[in-house]
Amino acid sequence: MSKYFRIPGRLAAKLKASGILVSTVLANAGLPPGLLEQPRMMVTTEELFAFWQAVAQVSGDPAIGLKLGTEAKVEHFDPVALAGLFTESFGEGMRQVARHKRISCPEEIVLETDGVEASIQFRWLLADAPEPHVVTDLVFAWILSIARHGTGGPVSPIRLEVVRPYAHQKLLERHFGCPIHFEAKRNALVFRASDLALPFVTRNAELLAMLAPQLDEELKQQRGEESFSERVRATIQRRLTGRRPMMKEIARELHISSRTLQRRLQDDGYSFQQVLERARHQLARHYLNNPLLGLNEAAFLLGYEDSNSFVRAFRVWEGVPPAHWREAQRAKGV
């Protein structure tokens, strides 16, 4: 997993077209003045959030995230989105995007379906604070833009769930074409499960055959640079959905035996339990930044049998109980 986000090269031009002074944004975010002039623009999660918070402040436009997350033309999408658009269907496109998104940043796109609904969430793996509202708007507008370009029609989600308090309801309803649920327990864009089968009119097997291998090669190189324990950690986090994943499950997903997994972790200086705890620690910080998620719910999502076990583990990680850590984060204004 890369520790940095790449800022798209077209972003400076898009900001200028929206009447936003880039130098003011960078100054307000505390970032170097020439950042967007660099050929390879890389920022941390904290810097990314600061940048987009500054964009929202400088623009003064409550719809700025929606506008900047929406692409008018297919050719303006980045390679990861294009690979998704070249696939057969909306669901396949989302899985392709989620797979390759890990190339460029410490962020995961989580697609879950129960056969009736399909939800899409963004997980910021190295975040110490919740993403700014403008970022939530931006990423979900980007997903909707892919869906509508891909299907060639006005596909709309059945609802948008946001953690934030009630604000700009009509604006969001007009853009997403669905009800908005405020003060939710997660940020999620929810479609009908049947929408995943919608065919993409943009599908192009020849172009996908050209683009996907390049992205796969980048992914392979990244994994080559990534330690084995990091790969195990990422796999555990994808499996941490209300129960503790077993070693054999993780080994199966990595296409190796449990014995090989254990040996390779030992080569990296770790045990499976240590990597599991590191995965839980990272996700715990993410969950605690959601003010509407109770400690019992966080404990459940992390696979603990009860909240007391979670509290004990968190005290070992951070030196304080989770409730105290959450209050300290709030006091910082994050």
Side-chain angles (χ1 to χ4, degrees):
M1 178 185 71
S2 170
K3 295 181 180 179
Y4 299 95
F5 289 84
R6 294 180 191 172
I7 295 181
R10 291 187 60 251
L11 183 55
K14 290 181 72 173
L15 291 174
K16 290 175 185 176
S18 299
I20 300 171
L21 198 60
V22 173
S23 59
T24 304
V25 169
L26 294 173
N28 283 19
L31 295 171
L35 177 67
L36 297 193
E37 298 168 8
Q38 298 175 10
R40 186 177 174 87
M41 298 171 279
M42 308 292 286
V43 294
T44 64
T45 304
E46 183 180 6
E47 290 169 338
L48 181 79
F49 286 1
F51 175 85
W52 283 112
Q53 190 63 55
V55 168
Q57 292 168 349
V58 172
S59 72
D61 181 359
I64 192 62
L66 303 175
K67 292 175 180 177
L68 293 175
T70 302
E71 292 292 1
K73 298 180 179 180
V74 169
E75 56 266 31
H76 288 166
F77 280 105
D78 62 21
V80 169
L82 284 174
L85 284 165
F86 292 158
T87 62
E88 295 271 336
S89 66
F90 179 36
E92 195 58 39
M94 285 298 96
R95 283 184 280 271
Q96 179 87 0
V97 168
R99 169 179 166 77
H100 289 120
K101 192 68 172 173
R102 299 197 303 274
I103 295 170
S104 57
C105 55
E107 168 194 28
E108 288 183 347
I109 298 176
V110 181
L111 173 64
E112 296 178 335
T113 180
D114 61 5
V116 177
E117 296 183 349
S119 67
I120 298 172
Q121 300 175 66
F122 282 72
R123 183 181 290 165
W124 310 89
L125 299 176
L126 299 183
D128 285 332
E131 73 268 26
H133 301 334
V134 63
V135 173
T136 307
D137 292 348
L138 178 91
V139 297
F140 287 141
W142 182 72
I143 291 292
L144 187 64
S145 194
I146 292 173
R148 289 179 172 170
H149 277 291
T151 61
V155 60
S156 293
I158 54 178
R159 69 179 178 276
L160 171 64
E161 301 176 17
V162 288
V163 173
R164 76 185 75 165
Y166 178 93
H168 308 298
Q169 179 180 3
K170 295 298 182 184
L171 176 69
L172 293 168
E173 286 177 344
R174 280 196 302 271
H175 187 88
F176 290 99
C178 67
I180 313 300
H181 293 197
F182 294 96
E183 297 186 344
K185 292 183 177 180
R186 60 178 186 170
N187 291 316
L189 194 59
V190 185
F191 292 85
R192 298 171 185 83
S194 58
D195 288 340
L196 297 180
L198 291 172
F200 268 7
V201 298
T202 51
R203 62 186 180 276
N204 190 314
E206 290 81 8
L207 288 177
L208 182 61
M210 293 172 60
L211 182 57
Q214 296 179 35
L215 295 174
D216 283 338
E217 184 59 31
E218 280 195 53
L219 188 58
K220 185 189 296 184
Q221 290 176 6
Q222 178 187 307
R223 283 178 170 171
E225 296 168 1
E226 181 183 56
S227 70
F228 180 72
S229 62
E230 279 297 304
R231 287 181 59 195
V232 174
R233 191 264 322 146
T235 306
I236 289 173
Q237 286 185 330
R238 289 195 294 274
R239 290 275 185 170
L240 267 175
T241 52
R243 65 182 186 85
R244 181 187 185 277
M246 304 300 290
M247 185 190 299
K248 62 181 180 181
E249 296 175 274
I250 303 303
R252 189 183 306 120
E253 187 161 336
L254 293 172
H255 306 292
I256 57 177
S257 69
S258 297
R259 181 176 295 181
T260 299
L261 184 148
Q262 209 165 15
R263 177 180 56 77
R264 293 188 62 181
L265 283 179
Q266 288 174 350
D267 290 343
D268 275 4
Y270 294 98
S271 67
F272 181 77
Q273 183 63 31
Q274 287 173 318
V275 178
L276 171 64
E277 290 308 300
R278 192 168 66 186
R280 281 171 156 171
H281 182 190
Q282 198 175 76
L283 280 182
R285 293 166 67 95
H286 171 76
Y287 291 143
L288 290 175
N289 278 318
N290 182 338
L292 298 178
L293 198 65
L295 295 185
N296 286 338
E297 293 167 304
F300 170 76
L301 290 171
L302 293 167
Y304 287 102
E305 292 182 1
D306 54 64
S307 59
N308 288 335
S309 299
F310 171 46
V311 170
R312 287 194 297 271
F314 197 87
R315 191 189 291 271
V316 171
W317 299 331
E318 297 285 345
V320 294
H324 292 184
W325 186 89
R326 174 179 266 174
E327 287 302 317
Q329 294 300 103
R330 288 175 181 168
K332 293 177 186 176
V334 300

